[in-house]
């Protein structure tokens, strides 16, 4: 019995020793992290700013909670200038109204909170907050719409619900075809982008359930093609054997449907061609309101 008791006691002692040693290692690790933080905090503000400029907008904002020195560094123009695109001055010169900002951080927050209108109000520009990548949207006026200049089929209508103040509304067509083009240099390099048709449907909208419509994105040798349906199929309705993409509601109340994705690795002035159409199996269509096509970076969740 004494031997068994000793063995158990020895085992408990061994376990307790391991716990104490693990706790000491954790404490040493925490102390080391704090020590490194204190060591960084002793750097001059401009040096800290140079370090933070190599992080991300989210990391720079979080670092403000570390100390007063970090807060000062994280607010400096040297940091936020790195998060703005190199051609930001040229972009701002295309804005339809002056963009005022007391600091580069304020400019970044302004552009990541809401888009600005550029190019005479026919396009909008913004920044994706977590990645600082460019977002661009072409208005309906910037798109090539088959029969779009014929008032029997399409009409351009003023509205306060669109960021552009005007939308294209489909009255009636059987041959449906719209497309857009954008230069790769207008987007951030080395980033994966998605192209999204932004739209609404009238209550009387028809012709967008079946047959499915076709969407495509082409840039260089890259090509992405998919089947889409702007109106969700009714229960029991079949729209083909292939997978069909359906729309989702945006935060601004509009609907959007992804037309395809592409890697923007072309810095030689290539163009991105997007197209949304149904010309193979034609049927009567009406009630579609087009705001535009948006290009924005695809962010992994």
């Amino acid at each position: 019995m004494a031997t068994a008791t000793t063995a158990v006691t020895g085992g408990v002692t061994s376990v307790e020793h391991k716990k104490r040693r693990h706790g000491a290692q954790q404490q040493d690790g925490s102390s080391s992290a704090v020590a490194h933080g204190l060591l960084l905090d002793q750097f001059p503000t401009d040096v800290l700013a140079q370090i933070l400029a190599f992080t991300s907008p989210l990391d720079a904002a979080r670092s403000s909670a570390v100390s007063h020195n970090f807060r000062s560094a994280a607010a400096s123009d040297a940091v936020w200038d790195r998060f703005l695109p190199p051609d930001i001055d040229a972009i701002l010169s295309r804005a339809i109204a002056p963009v005022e900002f007391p600091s580069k951080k304020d400019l970044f927050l302004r552009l990541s909170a809401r888009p600005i209108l550029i190019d005479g109000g026919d396009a909008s520009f913004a920044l994706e907050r977590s990645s600082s990548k460019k977002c661009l949207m072409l208005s309906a006026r910037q798109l090539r719409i088959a029969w779009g200049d014929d008032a029997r089929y399409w009409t351009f209508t003023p509205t306060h619900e669109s960021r552009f103040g005007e939308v294209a509304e489909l009255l009636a067509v059987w041959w449906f075809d719209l497309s857009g083009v954008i230069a790769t240099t207008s987007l951030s390099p080395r980033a994966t982008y998605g192209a999204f048709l932004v739209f609404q449907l009238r209550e009387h909208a028809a012709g967008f359930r079946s047959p499915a419509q076709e969407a495509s994105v082409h840039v260089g040798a890259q090509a992405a093609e998919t089947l889409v349906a702007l109106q969700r199929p009714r229960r029991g309705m079949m729209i083909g054997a292939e997978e069909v993409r359906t729309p989702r509601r945006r935060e601004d109340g509009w609907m959007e449907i992804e037309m395809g994705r592409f890697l923007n690795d072309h810095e030689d002035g290539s163009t991105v061609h997007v197209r949304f159409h149904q010309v193979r199996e034609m049927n009567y269509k009406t009630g579609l309101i087009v705001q535009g096509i948006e290009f924005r970076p695809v962010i992994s969740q």
Side-chain angles (χ1 to χ4, degrees), residues 266-283:
H266 298 267
E267 300 182 44
D268 55 356
S270 299
T271 53
V272 182
H273 297 264
V274 293
R275 187 184 180 198
F276 185 85
H277 62 103
Q278 185 184 20
V279 296
R280 298 183 184 181
E281 298 179 67
M282 291 178 285
N283 64 332

Side-chain angles (χ1 to χ4, degrees), residues 3 33 40 47 106 110 118 121 142 144 159 196 202 216 218-219 233 260 278 291 298:
T3 303
L40 280 174
V47 174
D106 288 307
R110 164 69 176 84
I118 61 174
Q142 291 278 69
R144 181 183 178 277
T159 176
F196 301 84
R202 295 288 191 193
S216 61
H218 294 264
V219 52
Q278 185 184 20
Q291 182 176 184
V298 177

Side-chain angles (χ1 to χ4, degrees), residues 7-222:
V8 171
T9 304
V12 172
T13 302
S14 176
V15 169
E16 289 179 347
H17 176 69
K18 288 179 180 178
K19 286 183 177 179
R20 292 194 192 100
R21 186 173 61 185
H22 181 63
Q25 289 175 345
Q26 285 186 322
Q27 186 173 9
D28 289 344
S30 300
S31 300
S32 177
V34 172
H36 281 94
L38 292 173
L39 198 61
L40 280 174
D41 195 36
Q42 296 173 3
F43 284 7
T45 303
D46 59 337
V47 174
L48 277 179
Q50 292 180 31
I51 295 173
L52 292 176
F54 286 96
T55 62
S56 68
L58 183 59
D59 290 333
R62 286 173 173 169
S63 70
S64 299
V66 175
S67 69
H68 175 74
N69 197 21
F70 267 92
R71 187 159 53 252
S72 298
S76 70
D77 281 352
V79 173
W80 294 93
D81 189 52
R82 287 290 299 268
F83 300 146
L84 295 169
D87 57 346
I88 187 62
D89 291 336
I91 294 171
L92 295 179
S93 70
R94 295 157 55 192
I96 63 171
V99 181
E100 299 180 356
F101 52 95
S103 69
K104 294 295 180 68
K105 179 179 180 180
D106 288 307
L107 175 59
F108 178 89
L109 295 177
R110 164 69 176 84
L111 294 175
S112 61
R114 61 186 185 278
I116 61 171
L117 295 181
I118 61 174
D119 300 342
D122 287 338
S124 70
F125 173 83
L127 292 175
E128 199 285 317
R129 177 164 294 189
S130 65
S131 66
S132 71
K133 303 296 185 183
K134 295 178 181 178
C135 304
L136 200 86
M137 185 170 175
L138 303 178
S139 72
R141 282 287 185 187
Q142 291 278 69
L143 305 179
R144 181 183 178 277
I145 304 176
W147 313 108
D149 56 353
D150 192 323
R152 294 175 298 174
Y153 306 113
W154 288 86
T155 181
F156 283 86
T157 309
T159 176
H160 296 295
E161 296 180 3
S162 167
R163 69 178 62 172
F164 302 112
E166 184 184 51
V167 294
E169 182 170 355
L170 171 61
L171 302 179
V173 295
W174 282 260
W175 179 287
F176 178 79
D177 197 351
L178 66 83
S179 58
V181 177
I182 188 174
T184 55
T185 52
S186 298
L187 305 173
S188 297
R190 298 175 297 281
T192 299
Y193 273 86
F196 301 84
L197 177 71
V198 182
F199 69 97
Q200 287 182 347
L201 293 171
R202 295 288 191 193
E203 289 186 7
H204 67 272
F208 292 99
R209 296 188 195 277
S210 177
Q213 302 91 62
E214 298 177 58
S216 61
V217 177
H218 294 264
V219 52
Q222 299 181 67

Side-chain angles (χ1 to χ4, degrees), residues 227 238-244:
L227 294 178
M238 298 294 294
I239 56 177
E242 298 182 60
E243 182 179 353
V244 177

